[in-house]
Amino acid sequence: MAKKKEHDLDDETLALLAWCAEVEGFLVAGGATVAQAQEHIEEQAEWFTDQFYDGLTPEEAAKAALA
C-alpha cells in the first residue's frame, strides 16, 4: 500500500479543481484571457466553491460569473 503524502488532495478537492479548470475554459471562451480567468477564479474562490457544491455545471458558473 502506498503511503499517503501530506500534500495529497482528497477526491472532493480534486473534483473541485477539475471543475474550476472547466470553468476557466468557459470564461476564456466568453472573452477573458487565461490570466484574467485564473485571477477571477482565485479572487472569487469562495463563490465558485459554493457554485460547485450547489451543483452548477462549469458552463453555468461561468455564465453567472460573466453576467
Side-chain angles (χ1 to χ4, degrees):
M1 187 167 153
K3 276 178 92 174
K4 185 172 174 110
K5 296 178 185 172
E6 285 185 37
H7 64 276
D8 284 349
L9 301 175
D10 60 59
D11 290 343
E12 191 172 40
T13 301
L14 291 171
L16 173 59
L17 292 172
W19 183 88
C20 285
E22 288 186 55
V23 171
E24 178 186 310
F26 286 110
L27 292 173
V28 170
T33 66
V34 171
Q36 289 170 331
Q38 290 173 350
E39 182 177 341
H40 184 66
I41 291 169
E42 289 172 11
E43 290 176 353
Q44 301 298 321
E46 188 173 325
W47 184 86
F48 280 104
T49 301
D50 289 344
Q51 304 316 301
F52 172 78
Y53 285 111
D54 286 345
L56 269 68
T57 67
E59 186 174 15
E60 291 168 335
K63 283 182 181 180
L66 291 169

